[in-house]
């Protein structure tokens, strides 16, 4: 299954452009995304960050141990969208994981 996940406000706290490298990861979000990756799902991280922030974003993902297959600086098409502006993801990562597992197995 392809799972598309927003970065700012979903996997990490929302920060101003020049402070994004300091954004704190959301531990339950990273744990859930990594579990879904480990189960063989394709994890696509998307962000509205600019191309000038590409290398910094790659470093942030690596430093915060986020497992993913692709990074897009824009919003691609996928099977599932997890986005702080579309599907509420505040403190409900276990529910999200369960729903996605049922979708994949159902």
């Amino acid at each position: 299954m392809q799972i598309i996940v927003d970065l700012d406000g979903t996997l990490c706290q929302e920060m101003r452009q020049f402070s994004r490298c300091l954004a704190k990861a959301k531990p339950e979000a990273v744990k859930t995304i990594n579990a879904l990756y480990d189960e063989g799902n394709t994890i696509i991280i998307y962000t509205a960050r600019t191309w000038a922030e590409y290398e910094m974003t790659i470093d942030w993902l690596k430093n915060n141990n986020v497992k993913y297959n692709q990074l897009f600086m824009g919003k691609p098409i996928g099977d599932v969208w997890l986005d702080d502006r579309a599907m509420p993801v505040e403190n409900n990562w276990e529910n999200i994981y369960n729903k996605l597992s049922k979708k994949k197995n159902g």
Side-chain angles (χ1 to χ4, degrees), residues 87-106:
M87 179 179 174
V89 294
E90 296 178 17
N91 300 321
N92 67 341
W93 284 98
E94 185 175 347
N95 292 337
I96 290 169
Y97 178 81
N98 291 334
K99 286 179 185 179
L100 292 175
S101 293
K102 287 179 186 175
K103 181 176 178 75
K104 183 176 179 181
N105 297 324

Side-chain angles (χ1 to χ4, degrees), residues 7 11 27 30 33 39-40 55-56 70 77 92 98 104:
L7 181 57
L11 290 180
V30 173
I33 294 307
E39 291 174 1
E55 289 184 20
M56 179 271 297
Q70 295 176 330
I77 296 172
N92 67 341
N98 291 334
K104 183 176 179 181

Side-chain angles (χ1 to χ4, degrees), residues 7 12 20-23 25 30 45 47 49-68 71 73:
L7 181 57
C12 67
R20 289 181 179 149
C21 62
L22 304 174
V30 173
I45 307 286
T47 181
R49 292 180 182 192
T50 66
W51 280 103
E53 298 173 277
Y54 182 77
E55 289 184 20
M56 179 271 297
T57 302
I58 294 285
D59 287 342
W60 187 94
L61 292 165
K62 181 179 178 181
N63 292 336
N64 286 279
N65 301 310
V66 178
K67 298 178 182 180
Y68 66 99
L71 171 64
M73 308 305 263

Side-chain angles (χ1 to χ4, degrees), residues 8-36:
D8 297 301
T10 303
L11 290 180
C12 67
Q13 65 187 156
E14 189 85 38
M15 300 290 286
R16 292 183 182 261
Q17 182 177 10
F18 297 106
S19 300
R20 289 181 179 149
C21 62
L22 304 174
K24 292 186 181 181
K26 295 184 177 185
E28 286 301 312
V30 173
K31 177 182 169 185
T32 301
I33 294 307
N34 287 348
L36 291 165

